[in-house]
Amino acid sequence: MALTDEAIDKIKAMIVAGELAPGSRLPKEEILAGQLGLSRNSLREAVRALTAMRILITRQGDGTYVSSLEPQLLLESLSFAADVSQGHTALQLLQVRRLLEPQATGLAAALLKPEDLQELRNILDRSRTVTTAEEFVAHDIAFHLRIVEAVGNPVLSMLLQVLSTRTQRVRIVRGSQTSHALNNAHQDHEQILSALQSRDALLAASAATVHVAAVEQWLATSLTDDPIQAIED
């Protein structure tokens, strides 16, 4: 095991054991290095890595602290993996999204307030006026996020954002026949909203499944046709 990896594991072990609580400040570098039996260079590398993971946060002139360790915060570090995902990895992310998002959409059917439904209506109306893939994706993200947020589980909201990031969605829309893809997406969104307005949880979940599965099917087909170019810029 590399020295940096060993240092990371030792700091994580302190956090898991409760020796370093969320929000607590790490001991001074020389003290912590001595406690863990590490060189100061290895400790610094570990701190940098754990900071990138959002496990630790550095406050300029004040030291290094354990973050809040809230799951939604830690999940943010996974967004980059989704941003750069291509080919079969992107397909696997969509498959996981298909398992989670329809269930969240079904739950939201009973939880969305009238003003939430009106907001969703407004988002879809605005999405029909866009002229670029980037503009459409911005509205698409807002639509799905607003539905999931109604469930009241920030971990679920963040996880679904990670599974389908803005960058990934733009690449998929650009890679498909844009006008055809947008028309299908508009129809899918209308069906989802109609089911939500009817408070039909099963229908809402089914509509969401069809919507995500359509994107998944397009990507799977593109991988078969041209595995090298699939959803690459």
Side-chain angles (χ1 to χ4, degrees), residues 8-223:
I8 290 171
D9 286 345
K10 286 185 174 181
I11 295 173
K12 283 183 177 178
M14 291 180 71
I15 294 172
V16 172
E19 297 174 44
L20 290 172
S24 64
R25 182 177 178 177
L26 266 64
K28 291 183 178 180
E29 185 180 89
E30 62 271 20
I31 296 174
L32 184 58
Q35 286 178 346
L36 298 177
L38 301 167
S39 70
R40 293 175 70 171
N41 283 337
S42 294
L43 179 60
R44 288 172 192 154
E45 290 296 326
V47 167
R48 277 194 284 269
L50 291 168
T51 300
M53 298 177 201
R54 309 299 294 273
I55 294 173
L56 300 178
I57 55 173
T58 300
R59 298 174 184 169
Q60 192 67 31
D62 189 29
T64 302
Y65 290 76
V66 180
S67 74
S68 66
L69 300 180
E70 291 291 334
Q72 60 267 32
L73 174 67
L74 302 181
L75 284 170
E76 288 180 8
S77 64
L78 297 177
S79 295
F80 180 72
D83 279 340
V84 300
S85 66
Q86 297 181 5
H88 290 286
T89 301
L91 181 60
Q92 289 166 352
L93 290 173
L94 277 171
Q95 289 169 342
V96 178
R97 181 187 170 196
R98 176 167 52 82
L99 293 173
L100 295 178
E101 189 164 313
Q103 300 305 314
T105 304
L107 289 172
L111 299 171
L112 287 162
K113 299 175 183 178
E115 55 267 31
D116 297 326
L117 293 170
Q118 182 59 52
E119 182 181 350
L120 291 174
R121 175 73 270 162
N122 294 340
I123 292 172
L124 293 192
D125 289 344
R126 290 194 297 270
S127 74
R128 290 187 174 275
T129 67
V130 303
T131 57
T132 68
E134 289 80 1
E135 289 176 306
F136 170 78
V137 166
H139 289 88
D140 179 62
I141 289 174
F143 178 75
H144 290 288
L145 180 58
R146 189 68 196 87
I147 294 171
V148 175
E149 283 178 340
V151 177
N153 186 323
V155 177
L156 178 62
S157 297
M158 177 54 68
L159 183 56
L160 285 170
Q161 288 182 67
V162 167
L163 290 172
S164 187
T165 65
R166 181 184 303 273
T167 301
Q168 182 198 95
R169 292 191 198 197
V170 168
R171 293 205 329 260
I172 288 175
V173 172
R174 282 179 177 172
S176 61
Q177 294 181 347
T178 304
S179 60
H180 179 67
L182 294 187
N183 286 335
N184 286 344
H186 288 315
Q187 293 175 13
D188 289 350
H189 287 163
E190 291 292 346
Q191 291 174 354
I192 292 171
L193 180 56
S194 177
L196 292 172
Q197 291 170 330
S198 300
R199 306 294 183 181
D200 191 326
L202 182 59
L203 185 58
S206 298
T209 299
V210 169
H211 178 53
V212 180
V215 181
E216 183 186 333
Q217 183 178 21
W218 173 84
L219 180 54
T221 301
S222 71
L223 287 172

